[in-house]
Amino acid sequence: MQGLEDRTYTSAAEPGDHVTVAGWVHEVRDLGGIAFLILRDTDGRIQVKFEKDEMDEELVETGLGVPRESVIAVTGDVDEEPRAPTGVEITPESVEVIAEADTELPLDPSGKVDADLSTRLDNRTLDLRKDEVKAVFEIRGEIFRAAREAFRDANATEITTPKIVATGTEGGTELFPITYFGEEAFMNQSPQLFKQLTAGSGLERVFEIGPIFRAEEHNTPRHLNEATSIDFEGAFCDHEDAMDVCESVIWSAYEAVAENCGPQLEALGLEDSFEPPAEAFPRLTYEEAIQRINATGELDEQLVWGDDLPTEGEHALGEDVGEHYFITDWPSEIKPFYIKDYDGDDTLSTGFDLMHPRMELVSGGQREHRYEELIAGFEQQGLDPEEFEYYTKMFKYGMPPHAGWAIGAERLVMTMLGLENIREAVLFPRDRQRLSP
Ligand code: ATP
Ligand code: AMO
């Protein structure tokens, strides 16, 4: 039994069938004359019954002697058995041990013994054998599937852009430098410049789901050093259009999870509480946001125009609003060079953030598509436009107005499922302490 051709999944084993099931030894319960082995595969569990006096001794010895978490294949008849966990059981004819596990496990996949996050991440393969952990990644996959479908409905083409780049875009201090054939290069912080170059190319509407790299110094429950960004960019879009597309992608992701991930939500204990958000999120201006934060009285010092929103301020506002909401119309000085100002007011930008009550999920805005203004923006931010010539020069050859945004995928998963730490939403997280596995 190496291949899968004659294998039946546990959920498909019906009374009256003769099957071979394959998977992991979840547990063995020996009650004396009778013993049960619970076999686990990707979609469920099944009881295998060993009646010691009535079965071949070697078969019983193999079945009951194999350590937990070993991989086995069991062949036999399936019968109805109301006392079995799933209502059916297999009476084995043969048990093949495919991969025997050590008797000492670094982590208990049955979940009876708790493990801290660090031990879990060190032994992710075993950790992912738990239903509630696996469920997070099945849901994450469903979110990407739904996002791709929503982007297709928005006429956007999927692209991939380089991750090894010559310049940063999201602030100079958060770059990972690498050596590229003797030259300094960086891991990309965002597809920002490439998605803009593509939106101006005639593809017009593009999206990317890919890694971003940020050399964040701080260790928080919501920052990763390698994260996954869901990026959108559309030509002939303004920031309002971009926010509409953003709402539809987030809303579609929630809807798809509600519709297609029933067992996973149950594994996470969310079957009763999970609720997709409203289809349109409130849009507050930055000005309104700071007034409301100030009115909560949660901050020691009142916020004034031009201040970035401190984390406690975001939390206070999140509690006040109680659902997803956009913050629009930010001061230009605290938004990046590529964000366009409102026409006629160079202090007010079209940048926006989408907030979940717990944290920021998305940043975006309409882009500066006019060459002269773009160059001036670089200079205002202390960046050398020469270094970005590969980008800026395309703005001389017919660059339409365009807008876009990026969702932090792990933050979306984390807020959707109420996970406490962003590391729980990544298979193999990268943080200051963790470079492997
Ligand atoms: P036998 O069932 O062959 O007489 P036994 O006397 O060792 O063997 P029981 O006393 O019937 O076993 O059962 C021991 C425990 O196992 C009981 O709690 C019983 O409810 C449970 N049990 C027996 N058969 C099954 C089964 N097929 N599935 C789940 N639980 C079972
Ligand atoms: P920004 O830097 O705000 O915007 O990033 C967009 C979103 O990505 C997520 N994110 C992170 N998630 C986990 N760990 C990190 N270290 C991390 N950094 C960012 C957040 C954030 O809201 N180019 C712009 C987007 C645009 O305008 O299109 C950008 O990168 O959820």
Side-chain angles (χ1 to χ4, degrees):
M1 167 73 201
Q2 293 292 324
L4 297 176
E5 63 291 336
D6 51 0
R7 172 184 180 202
T8 301
Y9 285 104
T10 53
S11 63
E14 302 276 354
D17 291 350
H18 180 80
V19 298
T20 296
V21 293
W24 290 262
V25 177
H26 187 65
E27 67 173 309
V28 176
R29 278 190 300 136
D30 197 334
L31 304 170
I34 191 166
F36 305 104
L37 181 156
I38 306 295
L39 179 141
R40 185 187 69 238
D41 67 9
T42 190
D43 73 347
R45 280 163 211 188
I46 199 159
Q47 171 164 294
V48 184
K49 175 174 73 176
F50 293 89
E51 286 175 304
K52 296 183 187 169
D53 295 341
E54 284 162 44
M55 285 182 174
D56 176 63
E57 214 172 299
E58 210 181 306
L59 178 67
V60 173
E61 249 172 53
T62 310
L64 302 183
V66 64
R68 282 170 51 221
E69 297 306 316
S70 299
V71 179
I72 62 170
V74 175
T75 302
D77 288 330
V78 182
D79 293 304
E80 211 172 283
E81 173 48 68
R83 288 170 296 181
T86 61
V88 298
E89 70 182 4
I90 299 179
T91 305
E93 278 160 36
S94 74
V95 173
E96 184 190 347
V97 179
I98 297 170
E100 190 169 311
D102 277 0
T103 48
E104 293 282 316
L105 298 173
L107 185 97
D108 173 20
S110 78
K112 285 181 189 139
V113 185
D114 266 351
D116 60 24
L117 186 57
S118 172
T119 308
R120 291 177 45 201
L121 296 174
D122 285 342
N123 301 282
R124 203 49 152 159
T125 304
L126 291 174
D127 185 44
L128 281 156
R129 293 181 190 167
K130 295 184 222 156
D131 289 339
E132 70 278 17
V133 179
K134 189 166 66 118
V136 170
F137 294 93
E138 288 168 337
I139 289 174
R140 186 183 147 116
E142 179 65 14
I143 290 172
F144 290 149
R145 195 202 57 72
R148 287 191 161 91
E149 208 167 288
F151 280 125
R152 194 182 56 189
D153 291 345
N155 277 325
T157 302
E158 181 157 9
I159 59 169
T160 58
T161 61
K163 304 305 157 208
I164 301 176
V165 296
T167 54
T169 50
E170 311 299 327
T173 55
E174 294 169 9
L175 279 164
F176 280 116
I178 56 168
T179 307
Y180 192 70
F181 301 111
E183 269 187 55
E184 185 176 53
F186 305 98
M187 301 302 292
N188 206 6
Q189 293 170 304
S190 159
Q192 184 61 38
L193 306 187
F194 298 99
K195 66 179 180 172
Q196 288 189 257
L197 291 175
T198 316
S201 73
L203 279 173
E204 291 202 13
R205 285 178 160 226
V206 295
F207 76 94
E208 173 165 5
I209 301 179
I212 56 171
F213 304 90
R214 307 230 171 161
E216 313 271 4
E217 288 292 328
H218 38 290
N219 201 345
T220 81
R222 57 175 211 284
H223 289 94
L224 293 163
N225 294 111
E226 178 174 350
T228 310
S229 183
I230 305 176
D231 273 84
F232 169 76
E233 200 68 28
F236 304 103
C237 281
D238 65 14
H239 62 298
E240 303 271 349
D241 302 326
M243 284 189 272
D244 293 344
V245 177
C246 181
E247 276 169 347
S248 82
V249 170
I250 293 204
W251 189 77
S252 304
Y254 269 88
E255 277 295 300
V257 170
E259 209 160 289
N260 305 322
C261 297
Q264 288 80 6
L265 290 173
E266 206 174 314
L268 288 158
L270 298 175
E271 67 278 21
D272 296 326
S273 57
F274 188 82
E275 217 178 303
E279 268 183 77
F281 307 139
R283 297 181 185 186
L284 273 64
T285 63
Y286 165 88
E287 176 100 57
E288 287 164 345
I290 56 173
Q291 279 168 8
R292 278 177 76 161
I293 293 170
N294 286 340
T296 64
E298 292 288 323
L299 299 189
D300 296 339
E301 261 182 65
Q302 297 273 293
L303 294 172
V304 295
W305 174 266
D307 286 344
D308 224 332
L309 304 188
T311 308
E312 319 85 78
E314 287 180 0
H315 287 162
L317 185 56
E319 234 166 74
D320 190 20
V321 180
E323 58 176 320
H324 289 84
Y325 59 99
F326 285 104
I327 304 179
T328 64
D329 300 10
W330 288 75
S332 305
E333 65 201 85
I334 52 173
K335 282 290 172 189
F337 62 84
Y338 50 76
I339 299 282
K340 187 174 176 296
D341 296 333
Y342 278 97
D343 290 330
D345 185 352
D346 63 6
T347 64
L348 192 64
S349 86
T350 64
F352 61 80
D353 284 357
L354 176 68
M355 309 295 297
H356 177 276
R358 286 176 68 193
M359 72 191 77
E360 177 198 309
L361 275 190
V362 179
S363 283
Q366 188 175 338
R367 317 307 188 182
E368 182 50 78
H369 66 284
R370 299 160 302 177
Y371 180 78
E372 302 297 340
E373 284 79 355
L374 183 66
I375 298 292
F378 274 104
E379 283 159 357
Q380 272 159 25
Q381 257 181 40
L383 293 166
D384 178 5
E386 297 258 304
E387 276 184 32
F388 293 83
E389 205 214 342
Y390 68 93
Y391 163 76
T392 56
K393 72 178 181 197
M394 291 303 145
F395 287 67
K396 295 196 278 191
Y397 310 133
M399 183 60 75
H402 57 286
W405 43 258
I407 305 173
E410 288 80 14
R411 290 193 182 181
L412 178 58
V413 174
M414 177 187 181
T415 51
M416 183 185 281
L417 304 180
L419 305 177
E420 287 194 4
N421 194 310
I422 197 166
R423 292 160 183 78
E424 295 176 65
V426 200
L427 282 175
F428 302 104
R430 289 290 167 262
D431 63 29
R432 287 209 66 163
Q433 280 79 39
R434 190 168 286 281
L435 193 52
S436 54

